[in-house]
Structures are given as structure tokens and as C-alpha cells.
Amino acid sequence: MRRSKATDQQAAGPSPGPRHAFRPASVDEDVPAAVGRLLDRFLAERVARAAALDPVFAHDIAERVARFTLDGGKRTRSQFVWWAHRACGGPAAGAEAALRIGAALELIQTCALVHDDVMDGSRLRRGRPALHTDMSAQYADAVLPAPGTRFGEAAAILAGDLALAWADDVVADTDLAPDPGRRVRQVWSCLRMEMVAGQYLDIQGQATSSHSEARAIRAACLKSALYSVQRPLELGAALAGADAATTQALCSAGRCVGLAFQLRDDLHDVFEEPRRTGKPSGGDIRAGKPTYLVAVARARAEAAGDCGALAVLRRSLGCADLSDADLARVRDVLVTTGARDTVEAKIDRLVAQGLRHMDAASLAPEGRRHLHALLHSAAGAPSVRRQAPDASRSKDGMPVSLLLTATAEGVSR
């Protein structure tokens, strides 16, 4: 965010400013950039309004939210909205609405990440200090030792709340026809509650040392699969006025690939280099998160009577000061029990299943092509190995584990 733009503007009332014409063909060339330009204008106006309220609040909180939103991330969720809208034949007149809903998702992602870092005690995000760490450092010499030691966390919670409020502002101020507007508001409402429910299941699993594979899958679906892929696709379909069959196919595709996205993220947390993830390796292990990866390793070790592997997992999960050597032992357990290969195979099956769902939808060729690429990228799957149905699938082909989410699809259509 260019601070001069944010701070020099005068407060401008409740609207984020005049509408701008968006040509779909030009947006197609670089969707993240188009969303970024819209966010830049909106956030500049919001920071200016914050400055009119109080310059310290604007500098410490509003500007940090704006920078966090503008400076990082691949804008994957907003791309899902855009290309679902295009693939479903959304009218050119709806281009700005699709970009605005995508921008709102970027803001709600800021809320989720800032709050997530506080709950996990993560000091890094995207290779830089997490927002609560940065706030603590800014006031290190000014805040009293007690109870001010949690000042940074409290400030970050407020920053996340502000990002969520701004996201809702964007949605509320988007011009929509009655039927698409009703559908968008319903999906948006579902998305917000699902995200919070999934995050709660995540921390509840940590607190209770839950090791259920089914519970881990349910939390992953709510926390990530729906929010990261399915709901963005559904929002794009709603904006385009897509029919029920097309919307259902996109939702099913999004749920499968969204779960694959979270499973890939769990693998990256343990096995990927910090320079690629932007945060230290093993954060989920140190936090004791009940991931599906760990649940599979524990179940396989118990079935094999592998006391050594179980001992490694027992003493490592939730150990905040776990050494690199001990983390390496956890990696060995995840590999030797077959948990890593099991999760990789599940990712492949989920992506293949998701693409079959999408292939059943009636979509514009160019939009379909971009959605295929996005779904592959989200799951970290450059290729898909088609596999025969197995016992883990329900009669309609949907993985049984996904049905555990019990999401009421009809609510949002």
C-alpha cells in the first residue's frame, strides 16, 4: 500500500468511491492484478477514513491490514470467483461485481491468517514477522510487562476483526441484481460460519489431543476446503446466474480439490523448506494440530504395534520447543508408517474426482481451461493419476470422508 495515497485522501463517506469499467478480456490477462487494483482503491479510502477517526489507529491497525492484504498471497480464491463467473457465462456487466467479491475474499483471508497466527503462536507469515509479532516489536519499549505482554495479540485480533468488517463492507456495497444478490449473500453467510467452525474444530482438536481421522477430515473440510475452493466457485456461479446442475458440479469439484489443498498444506508444513512456505517447518507438529497426516501415521503405527513410532509421536506432538533433530524423527515416522504416501495418494484421488465433477458441468471452454489449471495448482498436483473406485468412495463417487461435513448444499442455491 502506498502510504501517501492512503493518508492524503480525505474521508469520503460510506461508499468506496466511483465505479470503474472492467473489460473481462483485459481482466483475463491478469486476474490477481485486477483484484489488486480494486483493493488498492478501496483500502486507500478505508485507511483515509481511519485516519479521520484517529491517526494512531490508522497507522497501527488500518495501514497494517491494508499492507497485509495487498502485499502477499496468490489471490487464488478471487481467481476461483472470476473464472467460475467466466466459465458459467457471466455477463460483461457483472465483471466488477466478480472482482469485488474476489476482493472481499482477500480481506476475509487476511482476517483468517492474522487470527490463525495468534492462535498458533506463529511468529512468521510469508517470510516476515506475523502481525502480532510486528505490533509487539513496535511497542516493546512502551508496553508495561504485565498485562501488556499480550498487547500484540490483542492488537492483531482487532486487525483481523477490521479486515472482516471491510470484507463485509465490500459485499454489501456491490451492486447486484435481486436473484444473484440473494444467492451471493447466502453463500457468503455460509462461508463465514464454516470458516469459524473449522478453525474451532482445529483448536479443539489440539486442546483435547484428538486423533480421529474422520474428525481431522471434517475440520479440514470446514476450515479450508469449503472456504478456499468450493465457496469461491459457488460465488462465481451465483454471480453468473448459473443453473442448479452447473452450480452443484462446481461445488462438488471445489469440495474435493479444497480438501486436497488442505492435505497438501499439511504435507508442506512438515516436509517443505521454510524458504518456500514463509514460515518455520513443523509448526503443526509443535502446535499439536490434529491433522489427517498425523492421524493416519498414528493409526498405522497402532495397527502395526510400532511402539517406537508411537513414542515419537506422543512426545513430539504439542512440544513447542521441538528440536530440528526431533522433527526429523517425526518425518521418519510419517514416511515409514506410510502416512505420507497415503496422503499423497488421497490428494491424487481427490483431484481426479474433483475434475470429473467439473467435467460434468456445462462450462465455457476458456473458463474451464483456467479452472482446471487453478484446481491442479491449489492441490499442488501437476498431474492426476486416474484410479478405479475404491472402498473409500460412496455410491455416487464422492469420497465417504467428504460426506462427513454434512454441509446443506441446498441452503446456498
Side-chain angles (χ1 to χ4, degrees), residues 96-121:
E96 183 178 356
L99 289 175
R100 288 177 63 83
I101 298 302
L105 284 172
E106 298 302 326
L107 282 162
I108 207 171
Q109 171 71 345
T110 292
C111 167
L113 294 180
V114 169
H115 284 174
D116 198 50
D117 287 342
V118 171
M119 287 183 278
D120 292 346

Short mmCIF file of all heavy atoms in Angstrom, two decimals, residues 96-121:
data_model
loop_
_atom_site.label_atom_id
_atom_site.label_comp_id
_atom_site.label_asym_id
_atom_site.label_seq_id
_atom_site.Cartn_x
_atom_site.Cartn_y
_atom_site.Cartn_z
N GLU A 96 -17.24 -6.26 -12.71
CA GLU A 96 -16.80 -5.56 -11.50
C GLU A 96 -17.32 -6.27 -10.25
O GLU A 96 -16.59 -6.39 -9.25
CB GLU A 96 -17.26 -4.12 -11.49
CG GLU A 96 -16.74 -3.38 -10.25
CD GLU A 96 -17.12 -1.91 -10.20
OE1 GLU A 96 -17.74 -1.42 -11.16
OE2 GLU A 96 -16.79 -1.27 -9.19
N ALA A 97 -18.54 -6.77 -10.30
CA ALA A 97 -19.08 -7.47 -9.14
C ALA A 97 -18.24 -8.71 -8.81
O ALA A 97 -17.95 -8.98 -7.64
CB ALA A 97 -20.53 -7.88 -9.41
N ALA A 98 -17.81 -9.44 -9.84
CA ALA A 98 -16.98 -10.62 -9.61
C ALA A 98 -15.65 -10.23 -8.98
O ALA A 98 -15.16 -10.91 -8.06
CB ALA A 98 -16.74 -11.36 -10.92
N LEU A 99 -15.06 -9.13 -9.44
CA LEU A 99 -13.79 -8.69 -8.87
C LEU A 99 -13.97 -8.20 -7.44
O LEU A 99 -13.12 -8.43 -6.57
CB LEU A 99 -13.19 -7.57 -9.73
CG LEU A 99 -12.65 -8.00 -11.09
CD1 LEU A 99 -12.18 -6.78 -11.88
CD2 LEU A 99 -11.51 -9.00 -10.95
N ARG A 100 -15.08 -7.55 -7.17
CA ARG A 100 -15.33 -7.06 -5.82
C ARG A 100 -15.53 -8.21 -4.83
O ARG A 100 -15.02 -8.18 -3.72
CB ARG A 100 -16.54 -6.12 -5.81
CG ARG A 100 -16.28 -4.77 -6.47
CD ARG A 100 -17.56 -3.92 -6.48
NE ARG A 100 -17.99 -3.64 -5.11
CZ ARG A 100 -17.51 -2.65 -4.36
NH1 ARG A 100 -16.57 -1.85 -4.84
NH2 ARG A 100 -17.97 -2.46 -3.14
N ILE A 101 -16.27 -9.23 -5.25
CA ILE A 101 -16.44 -10.38 -4.36
C ILE A 101 -15.10 -11.07 -4.15
O ILE A 101 -14.78 -11.53 -3.05
CB ILE A 101 -17.48 -11.36 -4.94
CG1 ILE A 101 -18.85 -10.67 -5.05
CG2 ILE A 101 -17.57 -12.60 -4.08
CD1 ILE A 101 -19.39 -10.12 -3.74
N GLY A 102 -14.29 -11.14 -5.20
CA GLY A 102 -12.94 -11.68 -5.04
C GLY A 102 -12.13 -10.85 -4.07
O GLY A 102 -11.39 -11.40 -3.24
N ALA A 103 -12.24 -9.53 -4.15
CA ALA A 103 -11.52 -8.66 -3.21
C ALA A 103 -11.99 -8.88 -1.78
O ALA A 103 -11.19 -8.87 -0.83
CB ALA A 103 -11.73 -7.19 -3.62
N ALA A 104 -13.29 -9.10 -1.60
CA ALA A 104 -13.81 -9.37 -0.26
C ALA A 104 -13.22 -10.66 0.31
O ALA A 104 -12.90 -10.74 1.50
CB ALA A 104 -15.34 -9.47 -0.31
N LEU A 105 -13.02 -11.66 -0.55
CA LEU A 105 -12.40 -12.90 -0.10
C LEU A 105 -10.95 -12.69 0.31
O LEU A 105 -10.46 -13.33 1.25
CB LEU A 105 -12.47 -13.96 -1.21
CG LEU A 105 -13.83 -14.62 -1.42
CD1 LEU A 105 -13.81 -15.49 -2.67
CD2 LEU A 105 -14.23 -15.45 -0.21
N GLU A 106 -10.25 -11.79 -0.37
CA GLU A 106 -8.87 -11.48 0.03
C GLU A 106 -8.84 -10.85 1.42
O GLU A 106 -7.95 -11.11 2.23
CB GLU A 106 -8.21 -10.56 -0.99
CG GLU A 106 -8.09 -11.14 -2.39
CD GLU A 106 -7.31 -12.44 -2.43
OE1 GLU A 106 -6.36 -12.60 -1.63
OE2 GLU A 106 -7.64 -13.30 -3.26
N LEU A 107 -9.82 -10.02 1.72
CA LEU A 107 -9.89 -9.39 3.04
C LEU A 107 -10.26 -10.40 4.12
O LEU A 107 -9.70 -10.36 5.23
CB LEU A 107 -10.90 -8.24 3.01
CG LEU A 107 -10.38 -6.95 2.37
CD1 LEU A 107 -11.53 -6.03 1.98
CD2 LEU A 107 -9.43 -6.23 3.32
N ILE A 108 -11.18 -11.31 3.82
CA ILE A 108 -11.52 -12.31 4.83
C ILE A 108 -10.36 -13.27 5.03
O ILE A 108 -10.16 -13.81 6.13
CB ILE A 108 -12.84 -13.04 4.45
CG1 ILE A 108 -13.53 -13.53 5.73
CG2 ILE A 108 -12.61 -14.18 3.49
CD1 ILE A 108 -14.93 -14.07 5.51
N GLN A 109 -9.56 -13.47 3.99
CA GLN A 109 -8.34 -14.27 4.15
C GLN A 109 -7.35 -13.57 5.08
O GLN A 109 -6.68 -14.22 5.90
CB GLN A 109 -7.70 -14.52 2.78
CG GLN A 109 -6.32 -15.17 2.80
CD GLN A 109 -6.34 -16.63 3.20
OE1 GLN A 109 -7.31 -17.13 3.75
NE2 GLN A 109 -5.25 -17.32 2.94
N THR A 110 -7.24 -12.26 4.98
CA THR A 110 -6.40 -11.51 5.92
C THR A 110 -6.86 -11.74 7.35
O THR A 110 -6.06 -12.02 8.24
CB THR A 110 -6.45 -10.01 5.58
OG1 THR A 110 -5.80 -9.79 4.33
CG2 THR A 110 -5.75 -9.18 6.66
N CYS A 111 -8.17 -11.65 7.57
CA CYS A 111 -8.72 -11.91 8.91
C CYS A 111 -8.32 -13.30 9.38
O CYS A 111 -7.83 -13.48 10.50
CB CYS A 111 -10.24 -11.77 8.86
SG CYS A 111 -11.08 -12.43 10.32
N ALA A 112 -8.51 -14.30 8.52
CA ALA A 112 -8.24 -15.69 8.91
C ALA A 112 -6.78 -15.90 9.26
O ALA A 112 -6.45 -16.55 10.26
CB ALA A 112 -8.67 -16.63 7.78
N LEU A 113 -5.87 -15.37 8.44
CA LEU A 113 -4.45 -15.60 8.66
C LEU A 113 -3.93 -14.87 9.90
O LEU A 113 -3.14 -15.41 10.67
CB LEU A 113 -3.65 -15.18 7.43
CG LEU A 113 -3.88 -16.01 6.16
CD1 LEU A 113 -3.03 -15.48 5.02
CD2 LEU A 113 -3.60 -17.49 6.41
N VAL A 114 -4.38 -13.63 10.08
CA VAL A 114 -3.93 -12.86 11.25
C VAL A 114 -4.40 -13.53 12.54
O VAL A 114 -3.63 -13.69 13.50
CB VAL A 114 -4.45 -11.41 11.16
CG1 VAL A 114 -4.23 -10.67 12.48
CG2 VAL A 114 -3.73 -10.67 10.02
N HIS A 115 -5.66 -13.95 12.57
CA HIS A 115 -6.16 -14.65 13.75
C HIS A 115 -5.49 -16.01 13.93
O HIS A 115 -5.20 -16.44 15.06
CB HIS A 115 -7.68 -14.82 13.64
CG HIS A 115 -8.45 -13.58 13.92
ND1 HIS A 115 -9.81 -13.48 13.76
CD2 HIS A 115 -8.05 -12.35 14.36
CE1 HIS A 115 -10.22 -12.27 14.10
NE2 HIS A 115 -9.17 -11.56 14.47
N ASP A 116 -5.26 -16.71 12.82
CA ASP A 116 -4.62 -18.02 12.88
C ASP A 116 -3.23 -17.92 13.50
O ASP A 116 -2.83 -18.76 14.31
CB ASP A 116 -4.53 -18.61 11.47
CG ASP A 116 -4.29 -20.11 11.48
OD1 ASP A 116 -5.01 -20.82 12.18
OD2 ASP A 116 -3.36 -20.56 10.79
N ASP A 117 -2.48 -16.89 13.12
CA ASP A 117 -1.13 -16.72 13.66
C ASP A 117 -1.17 -16.47 15.17
O ASP A 117 -0.29 -16.93 15.91
CB ASP A 117 -0.42 -15.57 12.96
CG ASP A 117 0.02 -15.93 11.54
OD1 ASP A 117 0.08 -17.13 11.23
OD2 ASP A 117 0.28 -15.00 10.74
N VAL A 118 -2.17 -15.74 15.62
CA VAL A 118 -2.31 -15.52 17.07
C VAL A 118 -2.62 -16.83 17.78
O VAL A 118 -1.98 -17.18 18.79
CB VAL A 118 -3.42 -14.49 17.35
CG1 VAL A 118 -3.71 -14.41 18.85
CG2 VAL A 118 -3.01 -13.11 16.83
N MET A 119 -3.57 -17.58 17.25
CA MET A 119 -3.98 -18.83 17.91
C MET A 119 -2.85 -19.86 17.91
O MET A 119 -2.69 -20.62 18.87
CB MET A 119 -5.21 -19.40 17.22
CG MET A 119 -6.47 -18.62 17.53
SD MET A 119 -7.97 -19.32 16.79
CE MET A 119 -7.87 -18.68 15.12
N ASP A 120 -2.06 -19.88 16.84
CA ASP A 120 -0.98 -20.86 16.73
C ASP A 120 0.32 -20.38 17.36
O ASP A 120 1.27 -21.15 17.48
CB ASP A 120 -0.71 -21.20 15.27
CG ASP A 120 -1.85 -21.98 14.63
OD1 ASP A 120 -2.71 -22.47 15.38
OD2 ASP A 120 -1.89 -22.09 13.40
N GLY A 121 0.39 -19.10 17.71
CA GLY A 121 1.63 -18.56 18.23
C GLY A 121 2.72 -18.49 17.17
O GLY A 121 3.91 -18.56 17.49
#
